[in-house]
Amino acid sequence: LTSYLTAHRDTPGIPPTEDHERLAPPQRIGEQLMLGLRLSDGITLDWIHANIPPHTPRHTAIEELIHINMLERTPTHLKLTRQGLFVADSVIAKLL
């Protein structure tokens, strides 16, 4: 904490960082899926349609996870089912 506060004080308005990572589009989509599916509402179908084309491995995985009741498609969102919540890390890993 001391290092953070000292660094922050030396450069007002700019938080210190040690490192950053630039993700390629497929990795960025995976990260957004991971974070979005952890929300109770899930991730919007509009986002899914805009970022995950049909007939791709990720799209196929989503359909399979819906079929085995780990994900559910509502009229507006894709989200984890109650069953999927218990194994969320495994479900999300299949989409990365």
Side-chain angles (χ1 to χ4, degrees):
L1 182 59
T2 302
S3 297
Y4 175 85
L5 293 174
T6 301
H8 189 66
R9 188 175 38 238
D10 293 341
T11 53
I14 302 174
T17 58
E18 281 192 30
D19 197 9
H20 67 279
E21 180 180 18
R22 291 194 185 264
L23 299 174
Q27 287 80 23
R28 191 175 30 225
I29 289 169
E31 292 287 318
Q32 289 174 297
L33 270 170
M34 175 186 64
L35 295 171
L37 287 173
R38 291 186 185 281
L39 300 173
S40 59
D41 286 340
I43 195 160
T44 67
L45 291 179
D46 288 340
W47 185 90
I48 297 287
H49 296 310
N51 292 283
I52 303 174
H55 311 296
T56 60
R58 200 170 263 155
H59 185 270
T60 301
I62 288 171
E63 294 302 320
E64 290 172 359
L65 289 163
I66 290 170
H67 181 72
I68 62 170
N69 199 37
M70 293 293 147
L71 291 175
E72 73 174 297
R73 188 183 292 119
T74 72
T76 58
H77 287 76
L78 179 72
K79 64 182 190 173
L80 291 164
T81 62
R82 181 168 171 78
Q83 182 179 340
L85 282 170
F86 290 109
V87 290
D89 290 344
S90 296
V91 171
I92 292 168
K94 292 185 182 301
L95 301 174
L96 297 179

